Amino acid sequence: MPHQEPPAPETLTNAELFAQARTVIPGGVDSPVRAFGSVGGTPRFIASASGARLRDAEGAELVDLVGSWGPALLGHAHPQVVAAVQEAAARGLSFGAPTHAETLLAQEVRRRVPAVERVRFVSTGTEATMTAVRLARGATGRDLVVKFAGCYHGHSDGLLAEAGSGVATGGLPGSAGVPEAVAAQTIVLPYNDTQALGECFAAQGPRIAAVICEGAPANMGIVPPLEDFNAEIRRVTAEHGALMILDEVLTGFRVGPAGWWGLEAIDGWSAPQSGAGRADDGAPGPAGAPSWPGQDWRERAAWVPDLLTFGKVVGGGMPLAAVGGRAEVMDLLAPLGPVYQAGTLSGSPLATAAGLATLQLADDSVYRRVEATSRAIADVVSRALEAQGVAHRVQRAGSLFSLMLGQEAAERGVVDYEAARTQETWRYAPFFHAFLEAGVALPPSVFEAWFVSAAHGEAEIEAIAAAAPSAARAAAQAQPA
Ligand SMILES: Cc1ncc(COP(=O)(O)O)c(C=O)c1O
Ligand SMILES: NCC(=O)CCC(=O)O
């Protein structure tokens, strides 16, 4: 039989590409959140992306509200970021030796988040949180780690229990393959529950190495911390000699120049307490733009975590993440200290170049624009739902937002995973697909944040506004399974 080349991917439909992928890749995807598991249907295979738009394999253009799950703060393929990566690539892809650019990126991270006295770059958010937990155990000589139900910190064994993101989307309690002995080292508490936190420390304080929390949870939908919840985590951990790990993989450098920590601990952002209302909007500083910590940050900061983790925006769309924090803890890392951590591609020159270019471009005007656009988008969607009588609430953490569906969620607001799970999740799939049909790609799960970029503008808001009525109608007509 004559040898036949397979057809070029562009000649195949999304469905054909998905079918082909499933024969060689489990579920056809390299990360389960891409599989449309809870919304059903065929994921779009992406051929290219630019600014706020994706182009799929069939040539359809989509307004993108996933933004690579967070990194694309400036929009896709920003010319200056692409040029920085191309220049770095021409000098060599990786060396397994230090480069000056890593120091420059570390300095930029510290300039923005001065609580980061030292930072180490890794390749994924999962590695960053895994390293932070190991550091906390090494620093305290204790084993237990406290996490909150509905928070997602990547897929390391100890942090998958009652995790958000794809674990929540799949309705899973955690993951198979995690040894019982490892799972036993993790305590899961309800989010925003100061009393549970206090009781946990009263019972087990001397055995707890760390509490890990998302700056503002964004993996069970957006569930902002109630006033003083983060400060309380700081207070209790300090009292008991445990570390506070603030996971800013998703929020870092996205909700403001200094991430969630800057917004809340420096600018004094606080979530409105529960109560009826269409858009549950907490606002950042009076000018509407989050500020930089400044020289006097120690006096200004309401609380300071021991360790912070970053990912997504810090790598500008390339595989790069970071763990940072107090020098005396960070210096426990090898080669200075006894806590081992390593990586062949850590601090990749290409990823470092993308991250540095992204952070250099992400100035106040970028944050102001993303904030304003995200409010406009949430508003048009919310109005459309309201017009169709779909009870809902927009929950917001800075420029990140998501919808909580149903009367209960609308009236009381969602403050923990239990409430996030019991919203009317079944309204989301038809809503999502109506938007997709109209050329707008929402996150394919009600539990994920909507990501807006600086490349989103009037044209995208109009496209979303045009699609919103039919999507809202689909949500209104949805029936529970
Ligand atoms: C808060 C948080 N932490 C950690 C992670 C894990 O990052 P990664 O997917 O790069 O491993 C994520 C992302 O998905 C996240 O949202
Ligand atoms: N908010 C959840 C994620 O960003 C997860 C991305 C992935 O696991 O592919």
Side-chain angles (χ1 to χ4, degrees):
M1 221 163 82
H3 174 75
Q4 252 195 326
E5 288 295 323
E10 289 73 20
T11 67
L12 298 177
T13 63
N14 290 303
E16 287 165 340
L17 289 169
F18 194 37
Q20 213 176 72
R22 278 182 293 182
T23 66
V24 278
I25 298 172
V29 290
D30 281 323
S31 188
V33 299
R34 302 175 192 173
F36 279 25
S38 68
V39 292
T42 304
R44 301 293 176 97
F45 276 58
I46 304 306
S48 65
S50 173
R53 309 273 173 144
L54 302 168
R55 188 173 289 278
D56 78 7
E58 297 173 23
E61 194 179 85
L62 300 165
V63 171
D64 182 24
L65 289 168
V66 179
S68 182
W69 301 86
L73 177 69
L74 304 173
H76 294 285
H78 189 289
Q80 281 164 268
V81 178
V82 172
V85 173
Q86 285 171 336
E87 281 163 29
R91 290 192 294 271
L93 299 183
S94 75
F95 315 118
T99 62
H100 183 43
E102 291 162 72
T103 306
L104 296 178
L105 183 57
Q107 287 168 339
E108 178 62 16
V109 168
R110 190 174 61 182
R111 183 171 82 91
R112 289 167 169 257
V113 189
V116 171
E117 294 171 339
R118 302 272 191 282
V119 57
R120 177 157 288 175
F121 295 116
V122 294
S123 300
T124 67
T126 296
E127 276 180 87
T129 56
M130 185 182 80
T131 301
V133 165
R134 189 178 301 142
L135 259 174
R137 288 179 168 144
T140 58
R142 304 170 179 180
D143 287 343
L144 296 180
V145 169
V146 175
K147 80 174 283 287
F148 297 101
C151 284
Y152 180 67
H153 304 289
H155 62 96
S156 68
D157 281 355
L159 295 175
L160 281 172
E162 291 189 56
S165 184
V167 184
T169 302
L172 309 170
S175 171
V178 175
E180 255 175 59
V182 174
Q185 306 306 314
T186 306
I187 300 170
V188 184
L189 299 179
Y191 191 69
N192 271 327
D193 189 336
T194 308
Q195 190 180 340
L197 182 68
E199 286 168 3
C200 171
F201 269 88
Q204 319 227 49
R207 298 178 56 213
I208 297 172
V211 174
I212 184 166
C213 56
E214 290 186 55
N219 284 292
M220 50 174 149
I222 303 295
V223 177
L226 293 177
E227 197 175 350
D228 290 337
F229 186 64
N230 279 325
E232 183 60 12
I233 294 173
R234 171 67 293 180
R235 195 193 64 71
V236 173
T237 47
E239 183 187 345
H240 290 268
L243 268 52
M244 176 181 184
I245 303 169
L246 195 73
D247 181 359
E248 294 239 42
V249 166
L250 198 147
T251 47
F253 314 115
R254 168 162 280 281
V255 297
W260 183 262
W261 175 71
L263 215 56
E264 186 188 321
I266 303 280
D267 286 347
W269 192 99
S270 82
Q273 305 298 307
S274 54
R278 183 164 53 86
D280 189 0
D281 276 356
S291 66
W292 294 69
Q295 294 293 336
D296 59 344
W297 69 274
R298 274 193 200 278
E299 290 102 79
R300 293 176 65 199
W303 48 273
V304 183
D306 299 288
L307 294 173
L308 299 98
T309 52
F310 305 100
K312 302 189 188 270
V313 175
V314 75
M318 296 285 286
L320 185 132
V323 51
R326 264 168 49 207
E328 66 173 300
V329 180
M330 289 298 296
D331 286 348
L332 293 172
L333 283 177
L336 292 182
V339 179
Y340 198 73
Q341 179 278 331
T344 303
L345 296 176
S346 285
S348 144
L350 272 60
T352 305
L356 196 55
T358 298
L359 293 188
Q360 284 167 347
L361 289 161
D363 59 12
D364 285 346
S365 70
V366 163
Y367 291 110
R368 218 173 294 128
R369 182 176 165 90
V370 172
E371 171 88 25
T373 310
S374 91
R375 279 175 191 277
I377 291 172
D379 214 47
V380 295
V381 174
S382 185
R383 278 179 208 288
L385 286 168
E386 202 171 56
Q388 291 295 327
V390 179
H392 70 284
R393 174 182 286 240
V394 175
Q395 295 210 167
R396 176 173 282 285
S399 59
L400 290 164
F401 69 93
S402 74
L403 295 175
M404 297 292 179
L405 299 168
Q407 199 63 41
E408 175 96 358
E411 279 172 16
R412 303 179 47 177
V414 170
V415 299
D416 60 18
Y417 190 37
E418 182 57 29
R421 266 194 303 208
T422 50
Q423 65 176 302
E424 293 176 353
T425 53
W426 42 271
R427 290 195 192 277
Y428 192 76
F431 174 77
F432 166 88
H433 278 292
F435 260 120
L436 192 60
E437 281 308 305
V440 179
L442 304 186
S445 162
V446 72
F447 295 114
E448 301 286 358
W450 298 36
F451 292 99
V452 173
S453 82
H456 288 71
E458 282 308 318
E460 284 72 29
I461 296 169
E462 276 168 30
I464 293 164
S470 64
R473 212 161 24 250
Q477 288 163 359
Q479 297 293 328

